[in-house]
């Protein structure tokens, strides 16, 4: 589905939260790299899509009502064959039905399993004074516990992005540590600048989260994405 249709659909349904699949579709259309992700409405579809995308595969619950997918038992990583995919589909559905009996579930998203990389996060929030502000940080406990993040007011240029990335205390971790491959800093700079353009082109977006983005030695790709829209005035 095209970005325009996705946004119209959400508006029609009076929904401010886009699903991961919809969010990634919007980003992909804007030239932001995201891991290949498809919607499966049935177990059978999940199996055939996983064969098409290639193992190992990832299954996640697809629902606009569920914000934290792994906390709800809605994420299964590293599935290596059709039996595992079938079982994971049933387990995800069971877990969601038990924990969120009222959630509207579209099915599951079937996605390529990304190679491990350095996990970073990119976010956007709107500040009452400054308008849209981008956030950059390293994924996991560095952000959650240490709040090691940097900010940049949109528009964030390539040059601004350079500063944002070097500003975080964890910056040396991006340069490679303990045998881990370094992350490609120019890819991350490009990504931040692209996300800034995306935000400028979509004033109806209230919040954006790419969490995590996997950074590699020559590229970067978002494996999870969440878009929240402004509540539309006319309802
Ligand atoms: P949540 O809604 O809980 O944030 P995520 O989609 O971020 O769910 O998935 C949880 C974690 O699983 C991520 O932080 C990431 O480490 C891992 N993960 C998610 N999708 C993929 C993928 N396609 N390939 C590899 N790892 C993934
Ligand atoms: Mg996430």
């Amino acid at each position: 589905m095209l970005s325009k249709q996705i946004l119209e659909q959400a508006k029609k349904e009076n929904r401010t939260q886009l699903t991961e699949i919809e969010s990634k579709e919007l980003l992909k259309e804007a030239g932001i790299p995201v891991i290949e992700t498809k919607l499966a409405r049935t177990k059978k579809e999940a199996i055939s899509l996983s064969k098409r995308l290639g193992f190992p595969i990832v299954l996640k619950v697809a629902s606009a009502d569920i914000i934290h997918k792994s906390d709800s038992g809605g994420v299964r990583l590293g599935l290596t064959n059709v039996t595992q995919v079938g079982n994971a589909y049933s387990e995800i559905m069971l877990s969601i039905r038990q924990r969120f009996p009222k959630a509207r579930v579209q099915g599951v998203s079937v996605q390529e399993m990304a190679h491990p990389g350095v996990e970073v996060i990119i976010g956007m929030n709107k500040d009452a004074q400054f308008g849209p502000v981008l956030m950059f940080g390293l994924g996991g406990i560095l952000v959650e516990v240490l709040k090691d993040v940097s900010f940049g007011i949109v528009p964030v240029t390539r040059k601004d992005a350079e500063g944002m990335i070097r500003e975080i205390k964890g910056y040396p971790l991006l340069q490679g540590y303990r045998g881990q491959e370094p992350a490609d800093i120019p890819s991350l700079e490009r990504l931040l600048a692209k996300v800034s353009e995306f935000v400028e082109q979509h004033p109806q977006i209230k919040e954006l989260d790419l969490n995590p983005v996997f950074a590699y030695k020559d590229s970067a790709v978002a494996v999870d994405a969440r878009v929240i829209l402004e509540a539309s005035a006319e309802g």
Side-chain angles (χ1 to χ4, degrees), residues 146-164:
L146 303 174
K147 313 273 185 249
D148 180 23
V149 294
S150 60
F151 297 94
I153 297 171
V154 172
V156 168
T157 63
R158 188 61 198 270
K159 190 88 195 147
D160 299 329
E162 230 183 276
M164 278 177 74

Side-chain angles (χ1 to χ4, degrees), residues 54-59 76-81 84-86 88-89 113:
F55 297 102
I57 211 90
V58 173
L59 251 52
R76 298 296 304 269
L77 305 171
L79 307 168
T80 55
N81 56 53
Q84 285 185 5
V85 168
Y89 184 94
M113 173 85 185

Side-chain angles (χ1 to χ4, degrees), residues 19-212:
T19 64
E20 178 192 5
I21 299 171
E22 292 168 335
S23 305
K24 283 177 167 171
E25 207 55 52
L26 245 63
L27 293 161
K28 185 176 160 187
E29 207 178 288
I32 293 167
V34 296
I35 200 91
E36 188 73 1
T37 303
K38 302 266 182 231
L39 173 68
R41 292 180 189 279
T42 62
K43 184 188 285 193
K44 219 171 136 195
E45 251 177 52
I47 288 173
S48 71
L49 278 171
S50 65
K51 285 197 270 191
R52 212 170 84 204
L53 291 176
F55 297 102
I57 211 90
V58 173
L59 251 52
K60 298 181 195 172
V61 59
S63 168
D65 296 330
I66 294 167
I67 298 180
H68 300 292
K69 299 179 290 297
S70 31
D71 291 352
S72 6
V75 177
R76 298 296 304 269
L77 305 171
L79 307 168
T80 55
N81 56 53
V82 295
T83 312
Q84 285 185 5
V85 168
N87 291 340
Y89 184 94
S90 307
E91 285 157 19
I92 288 174
M93 289 306 168
L94 184 65
S95 172
I96 298 299
R97 265 202 301 271
Q98 284 172 345
R99 294 188 216 196
F100 297 97
K102 289 198 186 122
R104 290 159 293 180
V105 177
Q106 286 184 302
V108 298
S109 73
V110 181
Q111 39 192 280
E112 290 174 346
M113 173 85 185
H115 296 286
V118 184
E119 290 197 19
V120 307
I121 72 173
I122 294 175
M124 184 279 287
N125 259 287
K126 285 186 174 166
D127 181 89
Q129 196 175 350
F130 300 114
V133 175
L134 293 196
M135 189 201 75
F136 174 79
L138 291 178
I141 61 160
L142 285 163
V143 162
E144 285 161 25
V145 184
L146 303 174
K147 313 273 185 249
D148 180 23
V149 294
S150 60
F151 297 94
I153 297 171
V154 172
V156 168
T157 63
R158 188 61 198 270
K159 190 88 195 147
D160 299 329
E162 230 183 276
M164 278 177 74
I165 293 168
R166 281 156 185 79
E167 212 177 283
I168 58 167
K169 293 189 200 72
Y171 176 65
L173 300 182
L174 290 174
Q175 296 172 300
Y177 64 105
R178 302 218 172 157
Q180 180 160 350
E181 281 198 327
D184 186 39
I185 310 292
S187 293
L188 292 176
E189 291 166 2
R190 273 196 300 275
L191 186 53
L192 275 167
K194 265 213 175 126
V195 170
S196 173
E197 274 175 37
F198 174 74
V199 164
E200 280 193 293
Q201 284 158 7
H202 297 87
Q204 67 273 61
I205 295 180
K206 184 170 177 246
E207 274 175 54
L208 174 67
D209 255 309
L210 309 188
N211 182 8

